[in-house]
Amino acid sequence: MSTTQLRSCEQWASGISHGIELYVLDCNPERALITVIKHKRDALYSEGVRCEERGGGQEFFHAPLEEKQKYPMAPGTVQGYGRDFVFSEDQKLDWCNMFALGIEPPYIRNPKLWPIKPTKFGETVDVYSREVRKLCQNLLKYIAMTLGLKADIFEEMFGVAVQAIRMNYCPPCSRPDLVLGLSPHSDGSALTVLQQGNGSSVGLQILKDNKWVPVQPISNALVINIGDTLEVLTNGKYKSVEHRAVTHKEKDRLSIVTFYAPSYEIELGPMPELVDENNPCNYRRYTHGEYNKHCN
Ligand SMILES: O=C(O)CCC(=O)C(=O)O
Ligand SMILES: [Fe+2]
């Protein structure tokens, strides 16, 4: 990593509250693919970031099937327990089970899908999500600054940002060569915040220079993915990263993923500040709501 790149990492790190340390795998804004934030135990940690250790995810997935099926993901929807991205009966399914909930704004919440067991589940998800929301707002400020834009530009543009959480649980798989945990995709969000459960197998891989590169889980670390929305808004300066998750022969794996995106009705497109003769507009305008319908 060059000195300028390091300097920009430091600037980000010192600016973020809670004494978070920032590690950047590729911090050139032109190709910023993925960022790893390492936070100190007594900062975000104590405020609920290790969601799965406090009754957040693992316990839910280990509950009997009848218990989980009380919160089904209805066909054509994206909240509850089940499988997303099922388009046809002949499709080869991913190995992961998912559990997803809308968090903000309040109208996207479906209280019937919030499990009552484990008892701490709802509270844990709420505390965690509040902290992650602040983190996303902070990150977007620093991203704006790396682009020479005013710090609040994204916050002002996003309205009441949409936030959702998804837990992906992959049991061990005897033939990891035959099935993926999650098929390759990019996220529609502006930012995605991902934690790989402690003790989980290596699973996440990003496509970099046409090769799948594993993202090693770092204890107490969050992985931040750039999503499609940020790619569009920055006219391609920040690139959305294609990623997938692989399975493991003996180990299970839990990932807890937050998607942070602009309000559904806001019209989005490359920001005029980032379009000029040398950087022509590369994307058409759309709303996040329209994009979501197209994807689901
Ligand atoms: O499990 C992972 O590491 C990736 C999860 C993911 O990409 C997603 O939920 O969109
Ligand atoms: Fe993803």
Side-chain angles (χ1 to χ4, degrees):
M1 207 182 269
S2 76
T3 328
T4 14
Q5 285 173 327
L6 271 177
R7 214 173 283 134
S8 92
C9 293
E10 280 160 19
Q11 183 203 346
W12 282 34
S14 63
I16 295 172
S17 59
H18 295 304
I20 292 169
E21 292 167 52
L22 196 71
Y23 291 75
V24 181
L25 295 187
D26 185 342
C27 77
N28 178 348
E30 299 294 327
R31 291 180 296 114
L33 296 174
I34 204 161
T35 317
V36 177
I37 289 185
K38 190 163 175 175
H39 51 84
K40 294 197 174 128
R41 275 190 71 91
D42 56 348
L44 275 168
Y45 188 95
S46 59
E47 293 172 48
V49 158
R50 300 258 31 123
C51 187
E52 89 280 7
E53 284 167 14
R54 306 175 76 230
Q58 200 82 285
E59 244 180 286
F60 175 79
F61 284 103
H62 287 159
L65 188 61
E66 311 88 76
E67 187 59 35
K68 292 179 287 207
Q69 282 175 338
K70 289 181 187 162
Y71 312 99
M73 188 182 287
T77 68
V78 287
Q79 293 194 46
Y81 176 72
R83 290 228 166 95
D84 214 342
F85 316 119
V86 179
F87 305 108
S88 90
E89 298 216 334
D90 318 321
Q91 179 185 337
K92 189 166 154 188
L93 291 178
D94 289 340
W95 194 251
C96 264
N97 288 323
M98 292 175 172
F99 181 68
L101 291 172
I103 305 285
E104 290 284 351
Y107 78 85
I108 69 165
R109 288 187 178 222
N110 183 346
K112 289 201 195 101
L113 294 177
W114 285 62
I116 24 184
K117 278 196 237 160
T119 45
K120 285 254 179 182
F121 189 99
E123 185 197 321
T124 306
V125 167
D126 267 334
V127 174
Y128 175 68
S129 297
R130 272 200 299 277
E131 291 306 316
V132 171
R133 196 169 180 87
K134 284 189 236 159
L135 177 65
C136 290
Q137 288 161 349
N138 273 332
L139 282 170
L140 285 169
K141 281 195 181 122
Y142 289 97
I143 288 174
M145 283 156 65
T146 63
L147 295 165
L149 303 169
K150 82 180 167 75
D152 290 336
I153 196 158
F154 292 114
E155 197 162 350
E156 283 169 12
M157 185 191 311
F158 278 25
V160 182
V162 172
Q163 184 178 348
I165 192 166
R166 180 158 75 200
M167 300 171 187
N168 304 300
Y169 180 72
C170 279
C173 173
S174 58
R175 291 294 306 269
D177 52 321
L178 293 181
V179 71
L180 283 169
L182 274 181
S183 298
H185 66 280
S186 60
D187 299 336
S189 53
L191 292 177
T192 300
V193 178
L194 187 143
Q195 60 162 288
Q196 312 197 62
N198 269 354
S200 282
S201 62
V202 181
L204 177 63
Q205 299 186 336
I206 58 167
L207 191 63
K208 192 165 189 282
D209 304 326
N210 272 327
K211 287 203 188 85
W212 288 107
V213 181
V215 178
Q216 297 295 335
I218 301 176
S219 131
N220 298 336
L222 300 171
V223 174
I224 315 296
N225 277 355
I226 303 293
D228 296 345
T229 298
L230 206 60
E231 174 166 339
V232 172
L233 293 176
T234 62
N235 199 22
K237 283 224 170 339
Y238 277 85
K239 293 266 190 282
S240 164
V241 63
E242 192 170 345
H243 54 285
R244 67 179 189 180
V246 295
T247 53
H248 192 276
K249 230 176 168 155
E250 277 127 32
K251 282 191 170 180
D252 61 355
R253 175 168 188 273
L254 174 71
S255 61
I256 299 181
V257 187
T258 295
F259 303 103
Y260 186 86
S263 173
Y264 288 124
E265 68 285 355
I266 310 265
E267 207 187 75
L268 305 165
M271 294 186 286
E273 296 87 339
L274 302 176
V275 177
D276 58 31
E277 285 154 30
N278 301 326
N279 302 285
C281 181
N282 283 325
Y283 306 83
R284 75 168 178 87
R285 298 188 73 77
Y286 68 102
T287 65
H288 187 59
E290 196 187 318
Y291 180 97
N292 251 27
K293 265 196 224 125
H294 178 74
C295 290
N296 293 318

